[in-house]
Amino acid sequence: MTALSFIEPVELVIFDCDGVLIDSELISAEILLGALERLGIAVDFAHFTRHFLGRSFPRVAQSIREAFGVALPADFETSYRRDLLAAFETRLARVSGIGDVLDQLAVRRCVATSSSPERAARSLAITGLAPLFPGAVFTASEVANGKPAPDLFLHAASRMGVDPARCLVIEDSLPGLTAARAAGMPVLHFTGGSHYRDGHDPLPDDLAGIPQLTEWRLFFHLCPALAGSSTGANIGETD
């Protein structure tokens, strides 16, 4: 496997959360598709990955209303979030191999996610990842426009005090890849989550050439310069 070269040295790795750090997308799909089925809306997993994956819930709800011409119940989002977090408590796990990567990562790291602050915090706590990102979890609620707009990644870079060109984004979703490109950041397409176990659609032409990372154990083969022996000194906010 050939190591990647970056125009600027990488000083910050920005991780998406769902499907990258935590193996949550199949659980999310099950809960959301079940809730829609109870409303008489038939949506399959392919539709979920193409239209919902990587987007904030308000954008997902808007997509459902527009695609199916329905008015969702007033408590739909609240009920979905409650059922999802209940499922997370017993079923959520890290994506295999991420712990080793975080242990060896020699540069700073943060999370930039479309999830709500509550969902992100609980997800990282359940999986034991929260202590590895102190003061370094940023959500779409903090910006005017979520993914695929670049706002969230640019916000994360600004808060961490790092030039966008020196950030590396790890993303699994099309909106996330699009957002990273728009932010002017190098990006890897992570396809090691269980929601990609049966493959995925080819990337569109405008995202062609984004390197693919199929599992975390290959990360330092692609990015050997990011490996190191110290872990605790490089994370969190700038001094």
Side-chain angles (χ1 to χ4, degrees):
M1 178 175 290
T2 303
L4 300 176
S5 59
F6 300 103
I7 296 175
E8 298 285 348
V10 172
E11 298 178 1
L12 174 70
V13 178
I14 304 178
F15 294 89
D16 179 39
C17 187
D18 293 277
V20 172
L21 296 175
I22 61 170
D23 210 5
S24 57
E25 295 295 8
L26 287 182
I27 304 173
S28 300
E30 176 187 316
I31 300 300
L32 181 56
L33 300 190
L36 292 175
E37 184 178 3
R38 290 190 289 275
L39 296 176
I41 302 172
V43 175
D44 61 14
F45 185 70
H47 186 97
F48 174 90
T49 58
R50 292 185 185 123
H51 299 283
F52 303 157
L53 191 69
R55 301 180 185 275
S56 66
F57 191 85
R59 289 183 66 93
V60 169
Q62 179 183 354
S63 173
I64 293 168
R65 287 191 292 266
E66 292 175 351
F68 300 97
V70 297
L72 296 174
D75 65 344
F76 185 81
E77 179 176 355
T78 301
S79 297
Y80 164 73
R81 293 191 186 280
R82 180 195 64 228
D83 294 346
L84 181 63
L85 288 179
F88 278 3
E89 292 293 335
T90 57
R91 298 168 56 189
L92 187 62
R94 301 179 182 188
V95 173
S96 178
I98 186 57
D100 290 339
V101 168
L102 295 175
D103 283 345
Q104 298 176 54
L105 192 63
V107 299
R108 299 168 65 220
R109 85 288 297 260
C110 70
V111 177
T113 174
S114 297
S115 292
S116 68
E118 296 78 12
R119 172 174 165 176
R122 189 60 193 145
S123 298
L124 294 173
I126 290 169
T127 54
L129 294 172
L132 302 180
F133 295 95
V137 179
F138 309 105
T139 72
S141 65
E142 300 172 41
V143 295
N145 302 294
K147 305 169 188 177
D151 303 30
L152 180 56
F153 290 137
L154 293 173
H155 172 68
S158 176
R159 286 287 304 276
M160 298 296 289
V162 178
D163 187 309
R166 297 194 172 203
C167 299
L168 171 65
V169 175
I170 316 292
E171 264 286 355
D172 66 314
S173 72
L174 183 59
L177 298 173
T178 303
R181 273 281 180 87
M185 299 177 179
V187 57
L188 296 181
H189 183 200
F190 183 73
T191 59
S194 60
H195 58 300
Y196 280 144
R197 64 189 176 193
D198 296 323
H200 58 88
D201 292 337
L203 294 178
D205 290 344
D206 60 328
L207 298 178
I210 291 179
Q212 183 176 179
L213 176 62
T214 57
E215 49 187 317
W216 279 119
R217 70 178 184 85
L218 301 176
F219 178 72
F220 291 117
H221 292 279
L222 285 174
C223 305
L226 302 187
S229 58
S230 63
T231 59
N234 298 317
I235 60 178
E237 299 280 343
T238 52
D239 293 334

